[in-house]
Amino acid sequence: MPGTVLLLAASPTGRGRLVDAAAVLPVLAAVPPGVLAGTDTANVVELADPLEPQAVLTRLRAAAAAPGPLTVYVTGQLQLDRRQRLPHLSLARTTPATVRYTAFPWHWFREELRLRAPDTTTLLADLHADPDAWSHLHGTPLDTGRSTAVYGRIAPPPPHRRTPASPSYMKAVATILRSGHRPPLEHLHQQALSRLADDPATAASLVLTSAPPLPGDPHAAISAAVRSGRHADADALAARCEQAAVRAHGPGTEEVLHWTEVRADLAMLAGDAPRSCHTWLTIATTRLAVGQSPDTPAVETAVDRAHHQWGRITDPTRARELGPALADLRLRVPGSHKGALADVHRQLRQLQAG
């Protein structure tokens, strides 16, 4: 099922502009639609410095009605209306006195996205707050509803108003995605933040990380996502289960390794042999590191599956990158298949000769 992507970049014109929101759109537009959505194909809707809140609402409502996965990328600035003190996304004509009429109420995101199916909706946000909104947000976090996964940051008001700030978090996200692969959203979020480690605004920012609750039966939800072709959503849910197991049981435990194995199988089902191979290699190495012997069935299975997936890699560069690690493991874990190590060495020689 195709995904839907809404790219929304909005900030006021004139002196009230805190961030050059639209500057990120060319970088996001360079990312393949399927990577933006985490699906094989996707429809992309772009809104650059829109003028009217109703126009934004119309586009958001249409995107929310799409049956497949929805990813909303929002870049802009937050202001409070003077009457109800509610956060709004400023649009091109917004001024402090006209927020209520010319900006987009943030709670409209919650209302339009609340009826979507679980685990199908993601909002990535790079926001800058004016002083009034910044003070408000420290006591009242942004609310996008329980069914939407939210990642991003809210930067404080810039110390100097002469030049609008750069949407550096969203630019980092777009740069990572231009590699052609969308990692699990939590990983994408952390990678983007790590690229901004030296940015003072990022250090002072409010970080947004709110994934919706895990379903009661995550295995069933993952299977349903795979059946509908939503491989990225399936992997994202498995990644959340993996991280929850790390927090509950600690790294290297069977509970964690179970979900890592699920992710290795999901990569195989998605046709991503390099990622599946790498994940199985990691599982085997982890099992050995926690004291399991080379002839433990789970260790042998992990190495066998890594070997199988390695043989299905069509990119010679990736095969050459993963081959030495597989050879090292095959030396320690020869398994029940005679000649497995010799097979790895033979294929490596062929790759190096080619």
Side-chain angles (χ1 to χ4, degrees):
M1 186 176 295
T4 300
V5 175
L6 177 61
L7 306 179
L8 172 56
S11 54
T13 57
R15 298 177 60 186
R17 175 173 289 198
L18 300 180
V19 57
D20 185 9
V24 76
L25 289 177
V27 192
L28 285 169
V31 180
V35 177
L36 286 172
T39 55
D40 292 335
T41 61
N43 302 309
V44 179
V45 177
E46 179 179 304
L47 290 175
D49 283 329
L51 300 176
E52 301 292 342
Q54 288 296 330
V56 178
L57 179 62
T58 298
R59 296 298 183 90
L60 175 63
R61 186 167 290 166
L70 170 63
T71 307
V72 181
Y73 295 81
V74 181
T75 308
Q77 69 187 62
L78 295 173
Q79 293 178 254
L80 301 183
D81 73 282
R82 291 179 174 177
R83 181 177 175 183
Q84 293 183 296
R85 310 289 294 167
L86 295 175
H88 287 60
L89 182 72
S90 304
L91 303 184
R93 295 174 177 169
T94 301
T95 67
T98 65
V99 170
R100 181 173 173 82
Y101 308 102
T102 62
F104 186 82
W106 188 264
H107 63 267
W108 285 5
F109 282 111
R110 182 189 67 231
E111 292 304 313
E112 295 305 319
L113 301 177
R114 65 186 176 87
L115 296 180
R116 286 184 52 80
D119 296 305
T120 64
T121 312
T122 303
L123 190 147
L124 288 154
D126 187 356
L127 303 169
H128 286 66
D130 73 359
D132 203 17
W134 181 249
S135 176
H136 172 84
L137 290 168
H138 277 78
T140 309
L142 283 182
D143 180 12
T144 51
R146 288 176 50 84
S147 62
T148 301
V150 182
Y151 299 93
R153 62 94 181 252
I154 305 173
H160 306 292
R161 293 287 299 275
R162 296 178 184 175
T163 305
S166 170
S168 52
Y169 171 84
M170 195 65 78
K171 284 185 175 180
V173 167
T175 301
I176 294 167
L177 295 178
R178 285 180 67 177
S179 67
H181 168 63
R182 189 171 98 163
L185 291 165
E186 179 65 31
H187 296 179
L188 174 64
H189 171 66
Q190 293 299 332
Q191 289 174 30
L193 290 178
S194 68
R195 294 190 177 208
L196 307 178
D198 298 328
D199 179 7
T202 301
S205 293
L206 297 173
V207 176
L208 304 173
T209 51
S210 59
L214 290 170
D217 185 353
H219 291 93
I222 289 169
S223 297
V226 171
R227 286 194 300 272
S228 63
R230 296 183 288 114
H231 296 287
D233 289 335
D235 182 67
L237 178 53
R240 287 172 52 206
C241 293
E242 182 182 42
Q243 290 303 312
V246 170
R247 291 191 295 269
H249 305 285
T253 56
E254 283 298 325
E255 290 82 359
V256 175
L257 288 170
H258 165 76
W259 288 110
T260 312
E261 290 175 347
V262 169
R263 297 188 66 196
D265 282 335
L266 289 173
M268 176 196 67
L269 293 171
D272 192 344
R275 182 158 58 93
S276 182
C277 173
H278 180 268
T279 306
W280 282 116
L281 291 173
T282 300
I283 293 165
T285 302
T286 301
R287 288 190 177 280
L288 291 170
V290 298
Q292 296 184 18
S293 64
D295 60 353
T296 300
V299 175
E300 289 189 346
T301 296
V303 178
D304 286 346
R305 292 185 177 178
H307 193 160
H308 178 262
Q309 288 299 293
W310 184 66
R312 300 179 70 86
I313 297 174
T314 56
D315 180 357
T317 300
R318 290 293 287 136
R320 281 193 293 267
E321 291 172 352
L322 294 168
L326 176 60
D328 289 344
L329 274 173
R330 268 302 181 207
L331 189 62
R332 300 173 63 187
V333 188
S336 58
H337 303 288
K338 293 184 178 180
L341 178 60
D343 176 68
V344 175
H345 285 153
R346 182 176 63 256
Q347 291 190 56
L348 272 176
R349 286 194 298 271
Q350 293 173 353
L351 287 166
Q352 290 161 358

